[in-house]
């Protein structure tokens, strides 16, 4: 399912809404999550999962083609931990 | 910068501010989005949100684990796990406001 399919499914379930509003709703949700993470906040959606930011220290990497050593600077990476309910739902079928 | 935890309340507030719907309906729509994503994932569909990231389901085979307290061997049954891969856009935005190092 892509973002536009998600928008389409949400629009089908809410025929009283304009498609452009449905698009804005979906975009706003993901924008808010990204903004929160960029400011160093955590986003916890009980039952679904939690997004957080982890720090990766600087390291010496290697260009796999040339074997040359390169400095990889420290950076933040987004991390998602699946919520309990969703984890159970994934494993409930079959 | 802040170290807050954002929850459904703040996300549905943002939806409420953005679109002219009631607070209740905004909260319901957020819930529907999470439900649609969960339903897709539990039927093994990958969910790809452009400029955000993709969620996919990975199947793990059975393996032998150990109860760390008793040392007893226990089988870990085959199961499915959810993997989130952030998009390039997300990764660069995460690093756009702050730089790592120190106590931040």
């Amino acid at each position: 399912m892509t973002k536009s399919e998600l928008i389409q499914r949400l629009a089908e379930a809410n025929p009283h809404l304009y498609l452009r509003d449905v698009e804005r709703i979906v975009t706003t949700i993901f924008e808010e999550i990204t903004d929160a993470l960029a400011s160093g906040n955590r986003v916890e959606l009980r039952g679904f999962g939690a997004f957080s930011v982890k720090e990766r220290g600087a390291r010496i990497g290697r260009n796999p083609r040339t074997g040359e050593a390169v400095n990889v600077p420290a950076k933040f990476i987004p991390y998602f931990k699946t919520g309990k309910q969703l984890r159970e739902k994934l494993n409930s079928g079959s | 910068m802040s170290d807050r935890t954002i929850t459904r309340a703040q996300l549905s507030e943002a939806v409420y501010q953005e679109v002219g719907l009631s607070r209740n309906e905004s909260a319901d729509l957020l819930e529907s989005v999470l439900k649609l994503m969960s339903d897709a994932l539990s039927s093994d569909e990958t969910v790809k949100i452009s400029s955000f990231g993709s969620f996919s389901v990975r199947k793990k085979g059975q393996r032998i684990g150990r109860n760390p307290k008793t040392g007893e061997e226990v089988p870990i049954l085959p199961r499915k796990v959810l993997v989130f891969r952030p998009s390039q856009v997300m990764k660069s935005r995460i690093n756009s406001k702050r730089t790592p190092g120190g106590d931040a």
Side-chain angles (χ1 to χ4, degrees), chain B residues 23-83:
Chain B
R23 281 203 162 83
N24 261 332
E25 192 166 17
S26 305
D28 289 348
L29 285 158
L30 168 63
E31 217 45 59
S32 303
V33 166
L34 299 177
K35 175 86 167 47
L36 286 168
M37 292 174 73
S38 306
D39 287 350
L41 291 164
S42 50
S43 50
D44 288 346
E45 244 186 288
T46 293
V47 176
K48 281 185 190 164
I49 306 297
S50 67
S51 74
F52 186 81
S54 68
F55 299 85
S56 54
V57 177
R58 195 176 288 169
K59 294 188 174 81
K60 300 271 228 177
Q62 178 167 347
R63 65 191 169 90
I64 303 296
R66 212 173 262 282
N67 179 331
K69 204 171 283 179
T70 63
E72 195 187 353
E73 282 193 352
V74 273
I76 297 176
L77 299 175
R79 68 214 155 93
K80 291 175 184 171
V81 293
L82 181 53
V83 188

